[in-house]
Amino acid sequence: MVGDRTPHQARRVSDDAWVVSYLRGRMLTTEQAAAAIQAADTVALMNDLAAHVGLTALEAIGLAVNERPWEKALPRQLLGGRHRR
C-alpha cells in the first residue's frame, strides 16, 4: 500500500500481517495498515493547510484541540452593531 500524499508505505509480510514504514516493529492487520497510511496522508495534508496560515501541522492541531471555540453568536460589538438575520 502507498499513500497519495506521502512516501510512506505498508508491506504485507503474511496473510493478514503488515508493516508500515513509520511504525517499524509493529505488525498490523490490513485495516490497521490502511488506517496508518491514511493517517500519514492526513498529516501531509495538514502540513499543506497549516502552511497557508503560517503554522506547522503540529501547531495547527495543538491550537485546534486546546483553544476554546467562540460562543455560537458573535457579540454585536464585533459585528459593528449590525443585526444578524
Side-chain angles (χ1 to χ4, degrees), residues 44-65:
L45 175 60
M46 281 298 304
N47 276 323
D48 292 344
L49 295 171
H52 285 292
V53 292
L55 299 171
T56 67
L58 289 176
E59 290 169 329
I61 291 167
L63 290 168
V65 167

Side-chain angles (χ1 to χ4, degrees), residues 3 5-6 8 20 22-23 31-47 61:
R5 295 179 167 269
T6 180
H8 286 293
V20 176
Y22 73 93
L23 297 173
E31 184 177 309
Q32 290 171 324
I37 295 302
Q38 289 174 335
D41 275 350
T42 301
V43 170
L45 175 60
M46 281 298 304
N47 276 323
I61 291 167

Side-chain angles (χ1 to χ4, degrees), residues 2-15:
V2 295
D4 295 328
R5 295 179 167 269
T6 180
H8 286 293
Q9 321 167 23
R11 292 186 180 161
R12 181 180 286 182
V13 293
S14 69
D15 287 344

